[in-house]
Amino acid sequence: MLALKNSKLLCTDSLINGKWVKETKNRTVNVINPANQEIIATVSSVGVIETQQAITSAQQAQKTWRATTAKDRSLLLRRWHDLLLKNQEDLALLMTLEQGKPLTESRGEIAYAASFLAWFAEEAQRIYGDIIPSYSNDRRLMVLKEPVGVCAAITPWNFPAAMITRKVGPALAAGCTIIIKPALETPLTALALGQLSIEAGIPPGVVNILVGPAQEIAQQLTSSTLVRKLSFTGSTPIGKHLMKECADTMKKVSLELGGNAPFIVFDDADIDSAIEGAMLSKFRNAGQTCICANRIYVQSNIYQAFVEKFSAKVARLTVGPGHESNIDQGPLINIAAVEKVEAFVNDAVTLGGKIIIGGARHTRGKLFYQPTVIANATQQMKLAHEEVFGPIAPIFKFNSEEEVITLANNTEYGLASYFYSRDIGRIWRVSEALETGLVGVNSGVISTEVAPFGGYKASGIGREGSKYGIEDYLNTKYVCIADLDK
């Protein structure tokens, strides 16, 4: 099944200082295909010694990388981008086999991942400082932007390519070196990106990739005084823990954490368009995304019509292994994810929820779950307050704009929100009232490299992507030059 056109992309060791390195004690981790639980590959699992080696190599490479011209950094990032697209099919296959998403989604993620390298290749040449009007004739005041230094990135399994390039792109563009710690579930995609970074000509030590136990590697990264920034995408509890761990060394941190996105449909909306948006937002990656529609709120006048039309659409989704043709939804990542989904559904049914479609495991295998629609959802249910990483679409009824805004904001999270309306006044009011870092109006798909990505409240701090995404990888230095009149 691993019939790659570019066999070099199947890497099973960590990347340190431009070389592939095994763990000194020969520890390994098996990479499992969630569709059939078969072992795809066995990867060397590194630890403390290798992490320290990576930090040292990144620090040494930092000295020359920051001195590399912006134009040269830009050219290297662009070459890396081009190689991702050239190897898109191989990368998509690797991703589908280790993560589970359909091939069409994997191809889309590779294109999305490449877009961050292209965007920040351009931003590398647009890191501007300032000349400040002086308060004295014998002085000139300047603001310089300088690279933070060695960075660390801890990335999740649900988007194993894009969550890397969204961090690596701005880091390298700014003149920083980086150490990447991918999820143990999906190391092959990360290591393949590392191989392509070598082929692109990125110097040794600039990009390092460590596969191993999260706590063991993270502790070294957070405690090191050489690592000056940590970027993490994952759960809110782990994000809080990492932030505390970084406090002793006063690192910069960027945290993209959990979400509980409301998806609101007002009675003046185009229902068909809203249903299409809800399908794309809810069931992409089997609902395993931090910005997917967790809570669907539909105004009472159109509630029944929406439930019927939406359920009919959901019933037509095809579930199966991601490498098969015409698959809409693949497996969940592991058995714990399936059991969590089952617990949400059972809780909802106990509290009066009505299953319209789905509600059970799928016959395709033990990690497959039926796309599920639950009507009569209420605020007492767990799925109203907790992040749902699975293909469950609970539909809540609301009466007024004020009511639904209160419900939508009644969560510790504030990552993404969506709503559908044709009323321009309402569009402005609701966009401003929702307490989230991303708002999709009349669209269920809003992520792009040109716009900032990040949340409010417990959904994290900092922004990724866009012109704002490079700021967290830069230090701002003020320079005052005096005695110029002598």
Side-chain angles (χ1 to χ4, degrees):
M1 196 174 288
L2 276 173
L4 302 179
K5 297 174 185 176
N6 183 356
S7 60
K8 291 182 179 179
L9 293 182
L10 182 56
C11 307
T12 55
D13 297 327
S14 290
L15 179 61
I16 301 174
N17 201 27
K19 297 178 181 178
W20 296 106
V21 176
K22 291 185 181 293
E23 203 269 343
T24 53
K25 298 180 181 179
N26 294 318
R27 295 187 301 179
T28 60
V29 59
N30 290 328
V31 183
I32 307 296
N33 183 342
N36 55 21
Q37 288 75 63
E38 291 181 359
I39 297 175
I40 306 166
T42 299
V43 178
S44 179
S45 176
V46 301
V48 171
I49 293 174
E50 293 77 18
T51 304
Q52 292 172 346
Q53 291 172 349
I55 294 170
T56 300
S57 70
Q59 175 66 13
Q60 291 172 343
Q62 173 69 32
K63 300 172 185 177
T64 53
W65 182 247
R66 68 173 290 161
T68 304
T69 67
K71 183 176 182 181
D72 287 342
R73 294 199 300 268
S74 175
L75 289 172
L76 290 171
L77 281 168
R78 189 73 203 196
R79 283 185 205 163
W80 197 7
H81 160 274
D82 293 345
L83 285 170
L84 259 67
L85 295 185
K86 180 181 178 182
N87 293 274
Q88 186 175 18
E89 286 301 311
D90 279 350
L91 293 170
L93 179 59
L94 276 176
M95 186 186 301
T96 289
L97 293 179
E98 68 176 347
Q99 199 274 340
K101 65 180 62 174
L103 269 172
T104 52
E105 289 190 24
S106 293
R107 292 188 191 102
E109 183 181 338
I110 296 304
Y112 182 47
S115 73
F116 288 105
L117 299 180
W119 174 266
F120 286 108
E122 298 172 354
E123 289 297 290
Q125 302 181 82
R126 292 163 178 78
I127 300 173
Y128 301 128
D130 290 298
I131 300 294
I132 301 173
S134 180
Y135 59 87
S136 175
N137 288 333
D138 73 332
R139 297 185 176 221
R140 297 296 180 268
L141 314 179
M142 297 188 300
V143 175
L144 305 179
K145 297 285 188 173
E146 297 183 337
V148 168
V150 177
C151 299
I154 301 177
T155 59
W157 52 262
N158 57 341
F159 289 95
M163 297 303 97
I164 289 177
T165 59
R166 199 162 73 182
K167 302 176 191 298
V168 175
L172 269 59
C176 302
T177 56
I178 195 163
I179 302 159
I180 304 160
K181 195 306 183 186
L184 282 178
E185 293 87 349
T186 55
L188 299 180
T189 301
L191 296 173
L193 293 184
Q195 171 61 28
L196 293 179
S197 77
I198 295 173
E199 294 180 21
I202 293 173
V206 173
V207 174
N208 306 273
I209 304 174
L210 303 175
V211 178
Q215 187 171 357
E216 190 173 333
I217 293 174
Q219 197 279 327
Q220 295 299 309
L221 296 174
T222 56
S223 63
S224 172
T225 56
L226 298 179
V227 178
R228 298 311 311 146
K229 173 184 168 60
L230 176 82
S231 178
F232 170 72
T233 297
S235 73
T236 295
I238 294 177
K240 290 179 178 179
H241 173 75
L242 290 171
M243 191 173 184
K244 292 176 183 177
E245 292 288 301
C246 288
D248 286 343
T249 52
M250 290 299 291
K251 288 177 178 42
K252 275 196 171 189
V253 292
S254 297
L255 304 173
E256 195 268 281
L257 308 177
N260 192 9
F263 189 102
I264 304 166
V265 186
F266 290 100
D267 57 12
D268 65 320
D270 181 327
I271 293 182
D272 292 332
S273 177
I275 288 171
E276 188 62 32
M279 294 292 296
L280 292 170
S281 178
K282 175 68 257 183
F283 294 105
R284 181 167 62 105
N285 201 18
Q288 299 173 118
T289 79
C290 54
I291 62 170
C292 74
N294 265 15
R295 301 168 289 152
I296 301 177
Y297 293 101
V298 181
Q299 202 154 12
S300 55
N301 292 345
I302 59 170
Y303 184 86
Q304 193 58 41
F306 182 93
V307 170
E308 291 174 2
K309 283 190 171 187
F310 181 64
S311 300
K313 276 261 190 182
V314 174
R316 292 197 289 270
L317 292 175
T318 302
V319 177
H323 67 274
E324 294 183 3
S325 59
N326 301 316
I327 295 296
D328 299 306
Q329 180 186 300
L332 299 183
I333 190 66
N334 53 36
I335 192 63
V338 175
E339 291 172 350
K340 182 180 178 182
V341 166
E342 288 179 326
F344 277 123
V345 172
N346 292 337
D347 174 74
V349 170
T350 299
L351 294 173
K354 180 181 179 182
I355 296 177
I356 307 299
I357 293 292
R361 297 191 191 189
H362 200 281
T363 56
R364 291 306 305 264
K366 70 176 185 178
L367 298 189
F368 292 88
Y369 198 87
Q370 297 173 1
T372 299
V373 178
I374 300 176
N376 302 335
T378 67
Q379 294 302 116
Q380 288 69 44
M381 298 173 182
K382 289 182 179 179
L383 47 73
H385 304 285
E386 299 179 24
E387 185 172 28
V388 181
F389 243 52
I392 313 171
I395 307 181
F396 301 77
K397 185 184 295 184
F398 75 91
N399 294 309
S400 69
E401 182 180 312
E402 294 75 13
E403 175 193 6
V404 78
I405 288 172
T406 299
L407 293 171
N409 289 337
N410 185 26
T411 172
E412 66 173 321
Y413 300 107
L415 187 54
S417 58
Y418 309 85
F419 71 93
Y420 278 70
S421 174
R422 306 307 301 178
D423 182 324
I424 189 63
R426 170 175 281 163
I427 286 173
W428 276 109
R429 288 193 305 272
V430 177
S431 295
E432 294 173 351
L434 289 170
E435 297 172 351
T436 58
L438 295 80
V439 180
V441 183
N442 296 327
S443 177
V445 178
I446 56 177
S447 296
T448 169
E449 77 279 10
V450 307
F453 190 104
Y456 291 3
K457 301 189 288 189
S459 288
I461 56 175
R463 291 296 180 270
E464 295 185 324
S466 79
K467 69 175 184 178
Y468 303 101
I470 204 165
E471 288 296 323
D472 279 342
Y473 294 87
L474 295 167
N475 283 327
T476 299
K477 177 182 284 184
Y478 160 52
V479 179
C480 173
I481 306 174
D483 285 346
L484 292 179
D485 59 346
K486 294 181 181 179

